[in-house]
Amino acid sequence: MQGFAPHYDDVDVFVMQLEGYKQWRVCAPFGKGETLPRKSSSDYTDDEVEERGEEVLDVVLGPGDVMYLPRGWIHRAETVARPPGIAKGAWRCCCPGRSRPRRRAIATSCSGRDCRGDSHRTWAPWPCTGTRRKRGTGRSRRDCGRPRKPGPWTTEAPRERRGAARKREPRGDRPRRLRNRFCEEAARRVARVSRRALAMLDDASDRIGTRFLSDRLPPALLPPERRLTKDGRGDGDATSRKIWPNTLCRLVRPEIARLVVEGDKAVLYHCLDNSRMHRETGLSPLEFEVDDAPALEQLLTTVEPRWIMVRDLIHEDVEEKMGIAQSLYDEGVLATMLAEAPDRSVQTG
């Protein structure tokens, strides 16, 4: 039994075979136009693949096998019987009451809409749109001094004002002058757009970063990691669940949170509360004052094996430092530990 018709995807795919056996045939991209595509292909016929494609892999996956399919590589799969050479007792059905084993596989994907081209598409249209809207500039066919007709530069010159003395110029200088004026104006506008685009790079990166956090699965913490979080400690010792000035902190797992400045607020997004169903629940951000952003950035960039002490965070008030760290710890974002007796010189809450 065959699954989908031959096609390629716009994401990188990892195929994990759980039960049964499947034969996979993989072909290289047909050409440069299909290399690293931004959209998935329509279905191909077997004749098209055999005629245009170069088969680079023909393999049978069994239980426990994993295969990586790069973006843009054409693939097709078909369920097959147990390959010869594998003993009958080497694999058995894990479904009670079933005489025939299931053929099941899991496919996970990554690199969806988060490449450099997606970043450019996020920020590049904005400055261009802003330039066009500003006092109607960029809409006229001649507002840059561009000649009316396409093709070679025309020799026509702008109309002279009435009563003004006409000054003759060599015949070959007029198109050169028009071209120079057009190039100067174009350079000014390109520079204006570039300045606006550079100012929007951070915002575009934040948009893509938060979208990735929204799409990804929640992290599966290992037992040693979980023991350093609020959920791992439970309702036991209250001292270990409270943040002190000498508490050591770090992000529980790299790249699970992102700090974004939105207006007069510093907003922290994280994926710990994500559902295992795609976008079943939205992100639950935490809001802080902008003055807290340097301390938040320190906490989010401190990962294993490093630690940072709460009193060393960038903030004027020690109580504020403790409050910031306590908020992240209560949310499950921080891992903490005490290497010595708690410093009770400052009390909060």
Side-chain angles (χ1 to χ4, degrees), residues 78-95:
E78 183 177 359
T79 299
V80 295
R82 184 178 65 251
I86 298 181
K88 291 185 178 180
W91 178 86
R92 61 181 180 179
C93 177
C94 61
C95 305

Side-chain angles (χ1 to χ4, degrees), residues 194-208:
S194 299
R195 288 193 296 270
R196 290 175 60 87
L198 290 174
M200 296 176 179
L201 280 176
D202 288 339
D203 189 49
S205 300
D206 290 336
R207 287 165 63 95
I208 291 180

Side-chain angles (χ1 to χ4, degrees), residues 3 134 143 179 206 225 250 311:
K134 187 177 180 180
D143 60 357
R179 184 180 186 280
D206 290 336
E225 295 173 318
R250 71 181 177 207
R311 65 162 64 100

Side-chain angles (χ1 to χ4, degrees), residues 39 44 54 74 81 100 137-139 141 201 207 220-221 226 246 269 327 346:
K39 294 183 179 180
Y44 295 110
E54 176 189 355
I74 301 94
R100 296 181 59 188
T137 59
R139 300 179 185 177
R141 294 180 60 196
L201 280 176
R207 287 165 63 95
L221 299 181
R226 191 174 183 83
N246 60 336
Y269 295 90
S327 298
V346 180

Side-chain angles (χ1 to χ4, degrees), residues 268-327:
L268 188 142
Y269 295 90
H270 66 85
C271 61
L272 289 171
D273 296 334
N274 284 9
S275 170
R276 294 193 175 275
M277 296 293 293
H278 185 240
R279 292 193 177 181
E280 184 180 27
T281 58
L283 296 176
S284 53
L286 301 175
E287 288 191 359
F288 297 86
E289 298 298 328
V290 175
D291 295 342
D292 301 335
L296 290 167
E297 192 70 25
Q298 283 182 292
L299 292 171
L300 298 186
T301 54
T302 303
V303 296
E304 189 180 7
R306 297 184 296 116
W307 294 91
I308 185 170
M309 195 168 288
V310 171
R311 65 162 64 100
D312 296 331
L313 296 177
I314 301 175
H315 210 290
E316 296 180 357
D317 190 355
V318 177
E319 294 183 1
E320 290 292 338
K321 299 178 184 181
M322 296 168 62
I324 294 170
Q326 188 72 56
S327 298

Side-chain angles (χ1 to χ4, degrees), residues 70-340:
R71 176 161 51 121
W73 288 62
I74 301 94
H75 53 275
R76 49 186 166 173
E78 183 177 359
T79 299
V80 295
R82 184 178 65 251
I86 298 181
K88 291 185 178 180
W91 178 86
R92 61 181 180 179
C93 177
C94 61
C95 305
R98 292 183 61 92
S99 58
R100 296 181 59 188
R102 291 181 180 179
R103 277 79 173 179
R104 292 196 301 181
I106 292 180
T108 61
S109 62
C110 59
S111 302
R113 297 289 187 266
D114 58 0
C115 64
R116 183 176 298 178
D118 296 293
S119 174
H120 293 175
R121 288 172 64 90
T122 301
W123 60 261
W126 300 347
C128 298
T129 303
T131 301
R132 289 196 303 268
R133 290 177 179 173
K134 187 177 180 180
R135 296 189 299 276
T137 59
R139 300 179 185 177
S140 171
R141 294 180 60 196
R142 300 185 64 191
D143 60 357
C144 284
R146 180 176 61 84
R148 294 187 209 173
K149 299 179 181 180
W153 292 92
T154 179
T155 57
E156 70 170 344
R159 293 182 178 179
E160 309 280 351
R161 292 185 178 180
R162 290 184 179 180
R166 297 190 177 185
K167 181 179 179 181
R168 287 185 172 275
E169 56 183 331
R171 186 174 181 180
D173 290 347
R174 290 184 180 181
R176 188 180 300 110
R177 179 170 56 85
L178 288 174
R179 184 180 186 280
N180 291 340
R181 188 175 67 179
F182 174 79
C183 291
E184 291 172 1
E185 181 63 22
R188 284 194 293 270
R189 298 200 176 201
V190 169
R192 187 185 308 132
V193 169
S194 299
R195 288 193 296 270
R196 290 175 60 87
L198 290 174
M200 296 176 179
L201 280 176
D202 288 339
D203 189 49
S205 300
D206 290 336
R207 287 165 63 95
I208 291 180
T210 53
R211 185 180 65 192
F212 173 73
L213 286 178
S214 177
D215 290 342
R216 66 166 291 179
L217 291 169
L221 299 181
L222 301 174
E225 295 173 318
R226 191 174 183 83
R227 282 196 292 268
L228 299 175
T229 65
K230 177 184 177 182
D231 294 338
R233 293 192 173 103
D235 298 329
D237 185 10
T239 301
S240 62
R241 290 184 288 108
K242 184 177 178 61
I243 299 297
W244 306 93
N246 60 336
T247 299
L248 298 174
C249 305
R250 71 181 177 207
L251 198 63
V252 66
R253 179 73 66 80
E255 300 181 358
I256 62 167
R258 187 178 186 91
L259 182 65
V260 179
V261 177
E262 298 179 357
D264 58 347
K265 296 292 183 181
V267 184
L268 188 142
Y269 295 90
H270 66 85
C271 61
L272 289 171
D273 296 334
N274 284 9
S275 170
R276 294 193 175 275
M277 296 293 293
H278 185 240
R279 292 193 177 181
E280 184 180 27
T281 58
L283 296 176
S284 53
L286 301 175
E287 288 191 359
F288 297 86
E289 298 298 328
V290 175
D291 295 342
D292 301 335
L296 290 167
E297 192 70 25
Q298 283 182 292
L299 292 171
L300 298 186
T301 54
T302 303
V303 296
E304 189 180 7
R306 297 184 296 116
W307 294 91
I308 185 170
M309 195 168 288
V310 171
R311 65 162 64 100
D312 296 331
L313 296 177
I314 301 175
H315 210 290
E316 296 180 357
D317 190 355
V318 177
E319 294 183 1
E320 290 292 338
K321 299 178 184 181
M322 296 168 62
I324 294 170
Q326 188 72 56
S327 298
L328 298 190
Y329 176 75
D330 292 341
E331 194 71 11
V333 177
L334 285 187
T336 64
M337 66 174 295
L338 274 170
E340 54 189 18

